[in-house]
Amino acid sequence: MFQLQNIDKAFRDRGEVIHVARNLTWELASGAKTALMGESGAGKTTIMNIIAGLDSVDKGTVTVNGIKLSSVSNREVSDYRRNHLGLIFQKFHLVPTLDVWDNAALQARLAGCFDAEAAESLLNRLEIQHLINHYPSQLSGGQQQRVAIARALMHRPKLVLADEPTGNLDEATSDKVIELLVDTATSVGSSLVVVTHSHKVASHLNECWHLASGTLTPSA
Amino acid sequence: MTRRFIIALATTLSFYRSNKLQGLFVLLGLVLGCGLYTAVAQINASARASYAEADKILGASSQLRISDRQQTGVSVDDYIKLRRSGFSTVYPVLEARLPTSEGALISFIATDLLALPIAPAAQETDVENPFRGSDWSRLTQPPYEMWVPAQIAKKIGVRDGDRVELPDGTRLPPASIRSQTQQNDRVFMDIGAALNVLGTDRLSYLAVGELDDNQQTLFQEQFGDRLALSRNTEAFDLSQLTQSLHTNLTALGLLSFIVGVFIVFNAVNFSLSARTKVFRVLDELGVPAPEVGLAILIETLIWSLTGALLGTLLAQPVSTALMPAVASTMQNIYGAHVSSVPLFNGELFLKALALASAGLAMTLMLPLMLIASEPAARATLGPIQVGRSSSRALAAVGTIMILAACAIYPFASSLIQGFGLLALILFAGIALLPAVIISVAAFGKAALGYSWLGRWAFADILSQLPHLRLALMALLLTLIANIGVTSLVGSFRIALTDWLETRLSADYYISDKALSSTDLIGQSWISAAHQRKVAEVRFSGRKAEVIGIDVTAPDFQQGSVIDAEPNAFARWINSVDTETPVFANEQVRYLAGVQVGDAVNLMTNLGPHAFRVIGFFHDYGNTKYAFHLPKERFDILYPRAEVQGWGIWVTDKDIYKAEVGLNKLGVGPADLISQNDVLLLSMSIFDRTFAITRALNALTLVVAGVAIFASLLSLYQLRRPEYALWRAIGMRWIEFFCVAGSPVILMTGVVMIISLPMGVALAWLLINKINVISFGWTMPMVLSASSIAFLFCLVLCLVFMAFLLASLGQRTAVSSALKQLAGE
Ligand SMILES: Nc1ncnc2c1ncn2[C@@H]1O[C@H](COP(=O)(O)OP(=O)(O)OP(=O)(O)O)[C@@H](O)[C@H]1O
Ligand SMILES: [Mg+2]
């Protein structure tokens, strides 16, 4: 699905150099579902941004879905995000002035592949079909995150990147949400990377990687 | 406390280091607001100082004036006789306004220096004496000298020692350039020199301080038959007349200050809400709340000091640039002489400081109260709901204001009440704005609901409105004022042009009084020649002119009469009624309260006489009352009246033939005025006069543009993570424009739509209330669609540019903004 090849990424902050990636190589097979763990500040979010084409690398190549990100135009990177990528964040960030239906349909509409029937069945699967006329401020955290999942999956992306999607939820809700996420990602055929601090969450995924001092190691 | 406090202060202030733009906007708002206000205050102060100066030296302060009963002016012989009879406090004044050979107009004032109450030689030490230390003796001896104020010298291009030439070839005395402003924009000469140079033996009037009863009786006995003693009401009239212009200017100045405050409010509001975290940290670190409050207070003080200081500095070039326009307004509309050099004093700076502090305090109050009282409520309700309920309350207030304005309208009769009405209209518009925008959003959402992008765009209006509300209100305020004032000026220009074209329809005006009708009869190049005669009288406490009119003359015809009795023109011509029918100018109607059909008593050469006002005519800009009589009737009542000269209408507009013909009749260029030139001159004077209004209008528009830009910027800064997310999921620019940009444009559209009727209402009030109250005349209101369209296009461009500029920063830094989304 994507390939990070010998990438280096460092931040310079007042003379201090923070290495997020050091000659890091990581490959994800199509359809794979993986967890990415690591201490706070290890660089997980940065790695996700690099894969999403929102951040650049100092060295090495990033290939996603067959596109070498460093050698294409901004526009193509943007098209790739719109058509083939789903993003989920810790804070759900729905559009407060749009109802659940419009929020969920947002990216599919931007990508020009919105299909009302498919949308309905997705919302059904996420068990929020009865909320479609509600506004985000009227929903619980778990419900909001499910709407965000719907938004990230409705256009059937090749890859879904979720950065601590359960960070704001209690344990029971977390379990439910991550289950639904993995389930729906499988049903639309997306690969999935979930950044998490929770081993319980990680246990829902097929594999798990650990990021520390700029290198990735598979963990048990 | 001190160390801890300084740390607290440094911490709160550090916000502006990382948010330089917000700091810039606080400052910009204060500087622009204070600057424009101070500039206007300075202009007003200088004009008032000019009136006072004029009072002090050149006789306007004289309580009494002496004039000839039959003729304009007073002869020098009479003056000498008066002095010889022991009226030693009488002094002569000669005022004139003459064109130079180069076409510039100069105002002259001359007096007898030795007769002045503050004779230069007598009071060498008097600080107030403008002649102190001057070599005034050169003024009184040939070749004489004339004192030219530096600003006038610059304007007409005269240097020290130059001798200005008049159109007839006469050379004025050598100029001496003066930096003093006492004579305002007038050229000063000794009376001897003036009489000599101007070739006249008549003084404009004699001025005299107070005369006791004995002296008054003596005067009546000896001179009463020929000379009239009158109270000098002109000074009073003048300050009353000019009051409205000053109030007008002050209102415009305050308007720009209010708009400035809107900008500050935005920036301060943003800086405070962005710093709530900082305040909480300080609180947790054990800095007591009062100290945090004090830190904010000191911050405010620093801001207002810098704002007032820079604002006052800004006011200097602005007022210097605007002052000549004001001076010419004064000269042309009111006949008041004002120095075109603005004054500065410390009081103005203190005022600016007070204004800046008050403005800042006002802008601080609301956000602080919100932060302090209900942070929780705000967080759960969200600004949208808060906005909705407050907008309803505001709309109610706005409606009440409009109803109140309608109720008060018929009763408003003073300038203050008139401006109160204006304020009601302006603020009603502001109060209604949010509710109208919310309704438009709801309507649009319903109408365009089938398109998700349309739904989103209209929904986004509600998230943008709370942030843009103030800036939009500021824009509305300026647009209303702009449309109102522009329509006023435009209407005035059109009315004046039409009126002047009738009034000055003659091709030539000949002031040669020796010319008789027999000379003119039979000249083939003359299609018509008519004379006007004028008698000066007083009516209702003001100067009035009775004018004898040739009933067949094209410059006063049936069409010129408004609101007349039936068949009035024919009755006026025949003068058959027992009470002589007369037409009066509108000033008589509005200022003296005379209605059609009322009888008025005026002095004639045969004694008091009753006239019946049977209609009115427009008489723009005239500060005197005027009455029109048919010439035959006039000749009977005023046999001693002065002839004003001839108006000549040339056959087939053959100017060349006419000039040759006039030359043959012995009419020199000095006695000849081309009406066309006068018309052009009048219009150019008019345009210069209203340059000040136009300039202030443009400036407030710029300030409003800055307000929009500033609030868009802080809105985008606030919504950066949100917009970053939109971009991260692949939103293109055009979609971003639809969702984030079109609401701004749409709201601007709503503002413009509201501003149109409100602006027209304002123009209506200005023309039919303020104008009537302050000048006593009205005019038809003319709206210029093209200039309003231009204004709207300009505003749209301005807002679109602001959107582009403010959204430009959005394209970059998406990833760093997304970090905020990732939970940091
Ligand atoms: N724009 C930036 N400039 C400087 N340093 C940065 C920048 N972005 C990230 N960093 C640093 O890079 C490191 C990695 O940040 P990142 O957000 O990727 O960590 P993370 O693993 O996602 O942490 P967390 O689990 O807390 O979310 C941090 O030390 C951070 O301070
Ligand atoms: Mg992170």
Side-chain angles (χ1 to χ4, degrees):
Chain A
M1 184 60 240
F2 66 75
Q3 244 179 330
L4 307 182
Q5 234 162 5
N6 309 98
I7 61 160
D8 274 8
K9 177 75 181 174
F11 291 108
R12 269 150 213 91
D13 192 18
R14 293 192 198 109
E16 199 187 339
V17 182
I18 301 160
H19 289 277
V20 171
R22 267 183 180 149
N23 202 25
L24 181 145
T25 298
W26 190 25
E27 204 169 323
L28 191 77
S30 202
K33 315 232 159 13
T34 185
L36 176 59
M37 300 188 73
E39 279 175 20
S40 195
K44 305 179 294 295
T45 301
T46 309
I47 297 285
M48 298 287 261
N49 281 345
I50 288 172
I51 299 170
L54 292 164
D55 212 340
S56 59
V57 291
D58 301 337
K59 218 193 83 197
T61 55
V62 182
T63 317
V64 190
N65 197 29
I67 310 168
K68 203 172 147 200
L69 290 185
S70 55
S71 60
V72 299
S73 69
N74 276 342
R75 200 190 158 81
E76 280 170 280
V77 174
S78 172
D79 283 348
Y80 142 70
R81 275 202 304 270
R82 184 173 61 238
N83 300 325
H84 304 303
L85 194 65
L87 290 171
I88 300 167
F89 301 94
Q90 175 178 347
K91 289 179 190 162
F92 331 111
H93 280 281
L94 305 174
V95 178
T97 47
L98 295 182
D99 63 14
V100 166
W101 179 259
D102 281 340
N103 262 297
L106 194 55
Q107 193 165 0
R109 278 169 170 157
L110 285 173
C113 63
F114 176 70
D115 173 43
E117 241 169 77
E120 243 167 273
S121 79
L122 181 65
L123 292 179
N124 248 323
R125 193 182 274 275
L126 289 165
E127 297 165 22
I128 46 173
Q129 73 285 359
H130 60 290
L131 299 172
I132 53 169
N133 291 322
H134 285 57
Y135 283 85
S137 58
Q138 301 166 316
L139 302 180
S140 73
Q143 288 168 335
Q144 287 190 51
Q145 194 58 296
R146 275 185 264 172
V147 178
I149 291 171
R151 179 178 69 195
L153 285 162
M154 194 171 286
H155 60 301
R156 300 177 164 264
K158 302 249 167 65
L159 175 64
V160 175
L161 302 174
D163 196 344
E164 299 185 41
T166 58
N168 265 6
L169 306 174
D170 65 60
E171 207 172 311
T173 318
S174 271
D175 266 355
K176 180 78 191 161
V177 163
I178 202 74
E179 230 170 73
L180 283 171
L181 175 59
V182 174
D183 184 35
T184 43
T186 311
S187 77
V188 301
S190 306
S191 313
L192 175 66
V193 180
V194 177
V195 169
T196 182
H197 288 284
S198 152
H199 287 282
K200 188 122 187 277
V201 166
S203 70
H204 285 276
L205 297 141
N206 316 128
E207 48 179 299
C208 180
W209 292 82
H210 194 88
L211 179 67
S213 326
T215 46
L216 265 178
T217 44
S219 62
Chain B
M1 126 154 201
T2 45
R3 224 185 111 74
R4 192 177 61 196
F5 177 70
I6 287 168
I7 292 172
L9 185 63
T11 316
T12 52
L13 279 179
S14 72
F15 168 81
Y16 292 104
R17 212 177 37 216
S18 47
N19 289 276
K20 293 193 182 71
L21 220 49
Q22 294 305 326
L24 187 72
F25 281 130
V26 176
L27 205 61
L28 204 62
L30 283 173
V31 171
L32 285 179
C34 282
L36 288 188
Y37 176 78
T38 308
V40 169
Q42 216 165 318
I43 288 169
N44 283 342
S46 321
R48 297 224 169 87
S50 288
Y51 306 149
E53 287 294 349
D55 271 6
K56 216 178 299 160
I57 56 156
L58 291 171
S61 70
S62 59
Q63 302 299 313
L64 297 167
R65 278 191 182 183
I66 295 167
S67 53
D68 197 296
R69 282 198 188 278
Q70 269 111 55
Q71 287 176 301
T72 40
V74 177
S75 71
V76 175
D77 284 348
D78 282 332
Y79 167 56
I80 295 169
K81 275 183 204 149
L82 269 167
R83 296 280 297 197
R84 289 210 180 119
S85 313
F87 291 95
S88 57
T89 56
V90 171
Y91 60 96
V93 179
L94 179 63
E95 287 179 289
R97 200 160 149 73
L98 292 179
T100 68
S101 60
E102 275 157 26
L105 270 175
I106 314 181
S107 302
F108 294 92
I109 182 149
T111 188
D112 184 351
L113 283 176
L114 291 168
L116 269 189
I118 43 162
Q123 289 168 312
E124 204 66 51
T125 54
D126 189 348
V127 237
E128 303 261 295
N129 186 346
F131 304 103
R132 186 173 60 98
S134 310
D135 187 9
W136 55 271
S137 61
R138 288 171 63 179
L139 277 167
T140 56
Q141 288 156 16
Y144 307 115
E145 190 171 63
M146 66 177 195
W147 289 2
V148 183
Q151 66 269 22
I152 292 302
K154 214 169 117 196
K155 203 164 107 190
I156 59 175
V158 168
R159 273 164 309 174
D160 244 327
D162 281 1
R163 301 193 65 164
V164 176
E165 196 184 330
L166 296 182
D168 63 358
T170 316
R171 287 207 172 263
L172 298 175
S176 159
I177 314 294
R178 301 272 146 173
S179 58
Q180 293 119 307
T181 56
Q182 287 89 349
Q183 67 216 59
N184 297 323
D185 279 359
R186 287 182 288 188
V187 169
F188 180 79
M189 276 190 272
D190 181 64
I191 196 81
L195 289 171
N196 219 330
V197 172
L198 304 178
T200 172
D201 60 348
R202 297 193 76 78
L203 305 162
S204 301
Y205 57 87
L206 302 177
V208 55
E210 200 54 71
L211 291 181
D212 60 32
D213 287 347
N214 278 342
Q215 284 176 301
Q216 289 214 17
T217 328
L218 194 69
F219 177 86
Q220 293 301 350
E221 275 169 11
Q222 292 191 358
F223 300 94
D225 57 330
R226 268 179 309 123
L227 299 180
L229 196 61
S230 59
R231 288 270 139 207
N232 174 19
T233 50
E234 206 158 282
F236 168 75
D237 285 353
L238 196 67
S239 64
Q240 256 213 337
L241 277 173
T242 53
Q243 185 60 36
S244 85
L245 181 89
H246 291 306
T247 320
N248 228 321
L249 289 180
T250 310
L252 274 175
L254 270 178
L255 182 69
S256 37
F257 179 74
I258 289 174
V259 173
V261 165
F262 278 117
I263 300 181
V264 177
F265 183 88
N266 254 309
V268 166
N269 194 13
F270 177 82
S271 81
L272 284 180
S273 53
R275 277 185 294 177
T276 37
K277 226 192 253 167
V278 176
F279 297 143
R280 206 167 306 135
V281 170
L282 284 174
D283 182 42
E284 279 160 12
L285 291 176
V287 181
E291 272 180 38
V292 177
L294 192 66
I296 295 179
L297 199 73
I298 289 185
E299 181 190 318
T300 311
L301 265 179
I302 296 174
W303 279 129
S304 39
L305 256 177
T306 350
L309 203 71
L310 293 180
T312 319
L313 281 181
L314 174 71
Q316 303 316 308
V318 173
S319 59
T320 310
L322 295 180
M323 199 63 210
V326 175
S328 70
T329 305
M330 292 306 185
Q331 167 78 64
N332 300 319
I333 297 197
Y334 308 97
H337 296 273
V338 165
S339 161
S340 52
V341 181
L343 296 172
F344 177 73
N345 59 45
E347 196 188 321
L348 285 171
F349 171 72
L350 289 182
K351 259 194 197 152
L353 185 60
L355 211 60
S357 313
L360 262 180
M362 244 157 59
T363 58
L364 270 171
M365 213 86 83
L366 195 65
L368 270 185
M369 258 158 42
L370 281 177
I371 287 173
S373 64
E374 38 173 11
R378 231 159 91 90
T380 51
L381 265 181
I384 295 165
Q385 277 91 334
V386 171
R388 221 174 249 160
S389 60
S390 71
S391 80
R392 234 173 265 144
L394 263 180
V397 172
T399 316
I400 293 172
M401 278 178 165
I402 288 191
L403 291 178
C406 292
I408 296 172
Y409 178 77
F411 306 107
S413 58
S414 76
L415 214 53
I416 299 287
Q417 286 163 346
F419 276 100
L421 266 179
L422 293 191
L424 272 180
I425 291 282
L426 283 175
F427 287 104
I430 287 180
L432 286 173
L433 182 63
V436 174
I437 288 180
I438 287 176
S439 322
V440 167
F443 176 77
K445 216 174 148 186
L448 284 177
Y450 56 87
S451 145
W452 66 278
L453 212 54
R455 210 151 56 221
W456 191 0
F458 278 105
D460 208 60
I461 288 183
L462 295 186
S463 3
Q464 299 199 14
L465 181 60
H467 305 279
L468 294 181
R469 189 164 45 187
L470 285 168
L472 290 171
M473 286 174 171
L475 181 67
L476 178 62
L477 207 62
T478 30
L479 277 186
I480 295 178
N482 228 301
I483 294 176
V485 173
T486 315
S487 304
L488 169 77
V489 176
S491 304
F492 192 16
R493 200 175 195 285
I494 290 172
L496 192 66
T497 320
D498 284 354
W499 178 74
L500 281 178
E501 267 167 8
T502 323
R503 191 67 185 265
L504 303 177
S505 73
D507 298 302
Y508 286 105
Y509 186 76
I510 300 172
S511 56
D512 189 341
K513 282 158 195 162
L515 213 60
S516 74
S517 56
T518 46
D519 294 333
L520 298 172
I521 287 169
Q523 300 285 351
S524 64
W525 47 273
I526 294 179
S527 75
H530 298 282
Q531 243 180 340
R532 278 189 173 207
K533 287 186 167 186
V534 178
E536 296 245 345
V537 294
R538 287 195 80 79
F539 177 69
S540 185
R542 240 181 231 249
K543 268 190 193 164
E545 282 177 339
V546 182
I547 301 160
I549 301 233
D550 224 333
V551 295
T552 54
D555 54 359
F556 184 77
Q557 292 178 325
Q558 184 139 18
S560 318
V561 179
I562 48 172
D563 297 338
E565 285 182 349
N567 213 14
F569 205 73
R571 273 168 52 206
W572 176 75
I573 291 174
N574 298 322
S575 270
V576 286
D577 311 32
T578 41
E579 282 175 317
T580 310
V582 69
F583 291 122
N585 64 1
E586 275 187 300
Q587 283 80 333
V588 172
R589 174 201 231 165
Y590 292 115
L591 298 179
V594 173
Q595 301 298 321
V596 169
D598 285 359
V600 295
N601 266 297
L602 296 174
M603 199 62 180
T604 69
N605 292 158
L606 314 174
H609 186 88
F611 296 85
R612 177 185 166 87
V613 175
I614 59 167
F616 295 100
F617 57 90
H618 288 304
D619 198 2
Y620 300 121
N622 197 352
T623 57
K624 297 176 190 164
Y625 294 130
F627 298 91
H628 283 185
L629 273 178
K631 200 156 149 273
E632 292 71 30
R633 190 78 183 147
F634 181 88
D635 285 340
I636 297 168
L637 292 169
Y638 297 94
R640 292 196 294 264
E642 196 171 324
V643 176
Q644 261 196 335
W646 289 92
I648 296 206
W649 283 259
V650 174
T651 314
D652 300 330
K653 299 266 163 208
D654 194 340
I655 299 300
Y656 176 74
K657 229 179 184 174
E659 304 227 327
V660 172
L662 284 167
N663 211 5
K664 269 190 201 146
L665 289 174
V667 178
D671 303 319
L672 193 71
I673 298 168
S674 155
Q675 298 286 60
N676 197 37
D677 290 352
V678 176
L679 192 77
L680 290 180
L681 186 71
S682 306
M683 290 330 285
S684 84
I685 286 172
F686 176 88
D687 288 336
R688 234 181 312 135
T689 299
F690 283 99
I692 167 104
T693 334
R694 216 163 297 145
L696 275 180
N697 253 336
L699 285 177
T700 45
L701 202 63
V702 167
V703 179
V706 172
I708 294 262
F709 177 62
S711 30
L712 275 178
L713 213 63
S714 43
L715 171 66
Y716 289 170
Q717 208 158 340
L718 224 58
R719 295 181 79 182
R720 232 171 64 136
E722 200 178 336
Y723 290 164
L725 173 84
W726 297 358
R727 294 196 67 79
I729 63 177
M731 191 182 245
R732 300 178 195 86
W733 186 87
I734 183 73
E735 286 149 349
F736 179 71
F737 174 75
C738 280
V739 176
S742 66
V744 184
I745 305 282
L746 210 83
M747 287 190 271
T748 310
V750 173
V751 166
M752 294 195 292
I753 289 171
I754 299 182
S755 74
L756 200 58
M758 294 273 170
V760 172
L762 188 77
W764 170 264
L765 272 181
L766 282 170
I767 290 173
N768 291 296
K769 259 310 180 229
I770 303 287
N771 220 35
V772 167
I773 293 169
S774 39
F775 306 114
W777 40 263
T778 60
M779 58 198 165
M781 182 165 81
V782 183
L783 295 174
S784 157
S786 64
S787 68
I788 293 177
F790 175 75
L791 178 71
F792 283 180
C793 285
L794 195 74
V795 169
L796 272 184
C797 287
L798 211 70
V799 170
F800 186 68
M801 295 259 289
F803 166 78
L804 278 188
L805 275 175
S807 66
L808 216 61
Q810 295 305 129
R811 296 183 69 89
T812 55
V814 174
S815 71
S816 70
L818 277 176
K819 290 255 160 71
Q820 277 169 270
L821 284 184
E824 272 160 39

